[in-house]
Structure formats: C-alpha cells, structure tokens
Amino acid sequence: GGGGFADYALVSLHCLRIYLDTSYRMTIDLLKEMPQITGEIGLNAADLPSSSTLCKAFDRISMSVCRVLLRQSAQLHDPSKHGAIDATFYERSAASRHYCQRISYRVQKLKVTKLVDTDSQAILDVHCSTNREGSDADLAEQIARRNAGDLRSLAADKGYDKQSLRESLRNLGIRPLIKHRIFAPYDHAHNARIDEQRYNQRSMTETVNSAVKRSLGFAVRARTWFREFREIALMCVVYNIKRAVKQ
C-alpha cells in the first residue's frame, strides 16, 4: 500500500473504524490507546497512519477484495446452503444540507440487497444500488448466479415473484421458495407445495438487517457511491466476524 503500509493492515484499520463507528481521526486516536490490537495488525502507536492517509487508502481497496473478505468471513459459520434474500435501505444523509446542495448530492438512500444463510444468519453476499429502478427478481438472479455452488434453496417474499427467476434458479440447481401472488386458483396449489418451514426462515434476513443497523449504524459515512458500496461490504464482513466470535 501507499506510504509503506501493507494492504491487509489498511483493510484491518477500516474494519476497526466500522466496528468502532467513528470518524477516521477518532479511529486513529482510539487505536493509539490499544497497543494489543495494533500489535495484532503488525503496527505500533507510532506507526499508525494519519487520518488523511487512511481516508485516501480507502479508494485503493477494490470491491473484489471486499467480496473475497465477505466470502471468507461467511465460511467462519459453516453455511447450511439454505439462503434467503431481501433488500433494505441505508441513509446517505449524514452530510450537512449545505454540503449536499453544493455538490448536488440528491440521492438520500442506498438500496442494499443481502443474501443470508438462514441457519447461521451469516451474510453470504451483498449488492448495493443508488437507484430503485429495475426488478428485484432480476437482481436476485444475479446474486444467485454468483453463489450457485453454495446454495440448495433460496427463500424470498412475494416481491420476488417472477416465473423467469424460478426457472433460472432451478437451472442452477437451487430450489426456489417464493410464494406466488394469487391470480388464479392454481396459485394456491403452487403455494401449498412450498416447504413452509424453510420458507418461514426468510425472516432471518430482516433479523440480520436489524442487527447490522443496531450494532454498526443505519447510515454510511462515505460520500461517493463507490466508497459507500465498499463500506457496506466491509460492514457485512465485520458483522460476520462479530457473530463468529460471539458463538
């Protein structure tokens, strides 16, 4: 990394910043009083980067690295291959009104779709978007393709009711657990064949979304969309690690 800091050290510092839910400057100040933690990273108090260096280093962390970290952190929980998917929103309004007007910062919410393991409640994958256009079903298909080898079933609510999604999941070897909206009598028959116990586990996504927001915050600190996407991904990594440590 720049300034002689290893990439793994910078990623660790950013994860600690998210865990502490503080600014860059406050994170460095707190870590100066935590020699055991900085020692695990391979640094000491005198070697810690400045807050501006840590901020600029965030731009060099690619989203692919964040996804690898997310996958590795999910493996700490021994996933059951039964997943559930749902979307939630994170605030982008932490900036002042004057700042938002000056840079035409109009989008106030970030749409985040998470794939969650229903047994361990680990986050397997995440997708972020700054707009609400497009179908949730198409997005679910994209996420399922990325995790096809790790899923045997996928549960979702009626917002993901789309026949093409069900067919794509079956082609990938994934059993769709998505209720049909009632348009005809045979839709009742389709719903009756769904495994109710597995389908009801889709509520685990709401539990995970609530836990992440309560423990790590409901708003992102970054100002640009690509930094916000990385922050959300690292937030999911921190959540997985915290849950693994508690267990």
Side-chain angles (χ1 to χ4, degrees), residues 23-189:
S23 64
Y24 291 100
R25 188 179 301 277
M26 182 59 69
T27 299
I28 298 300
D29 290 342
L30 290 173
L31 288 175
K32 288 179 180 178
E33 306 300 326
M34 301 177 181
Q36 291 182 336
I37 293 178
T38 54
E40 290 291 335
I41 305 174
L43 301 172
N44 55 50
D47 294 333
L48 287 172
S50 65
S51 57
S52 59
T53 300
L54 186 61
C55 179
K56 292 178 181 178
F58 199 39
D59 292 333
R60 295 195 298 271
I61 301 175
S62 65
M63 193 63 183
S64 60
V65 171
C66 297
R67 290 195 180 280
V68 170
L69 289 173
L70 180 57
R71 180 175 293 274
Q72 293 294 326
S73 66
Q75 294 302 318
L76 297 174
H77 298 265
D78 192 18
S80 64
K81 295 193 174 184
H82 297 285
I85 193 169
D86 200 5
T88 187
F89 291 92
Y90 284 81
E91 297 290 339
R92 303 178 70 198
S93 57
S96 66
R97 183 179 297 274
H98 171 72
Y99 178 84
C100 292
Q101 292 176 347
R102 183 163 56 86
I103 66 168
S104 300
Y105 191 76
R106 302 181 185 281
V107 181
Q108 296 300 317
K109 289 184 182 293
L110 191 70
K111 183 178 180 180
V112 178
T113 304
K114 295 175 185 172
L115 175 64
V116 176
D117 181 72
T118 55
D119 287 1
S120 63
Q121 297 181 30
I123 301 174
L124 305 177
D125 202 350
V126 65
H127 181 278
C128 304
S129 176
T130 56
N131 60 66
R132 305 186 189 184
E133 298 178 359
S135 169
D136 286 344
D138 294 336
L139 181 58
E141 181 181 348
Q142 176 184 340
I143 295 174
R145 287 187 182 278
R146 284 204 301 257
N147 300 271
D150 301 325
L151 291 176
R152 280 188 284 179
S153 68
L154 181 64
D157 58 26
K158 293 182 180 179
Y160 295 85
D161 176 23
K162 191 174 183 180
Q163 189 59 30
S164 61
L165 172 61
R166 294 187 179 89
E167 293 174 356
S168 297
L169 291 177
R170 292 189 183 100
N171 292 334
L172 294 170
I174 303 172
R175 182 184 180 186
L177 301 175
I178 307 170
K179 285 288 184 74
H180 292 253
R181 287 174 287 185
I182 305 301
F183 295 112
Y186 53 78
D187 288 328
H188 291 284

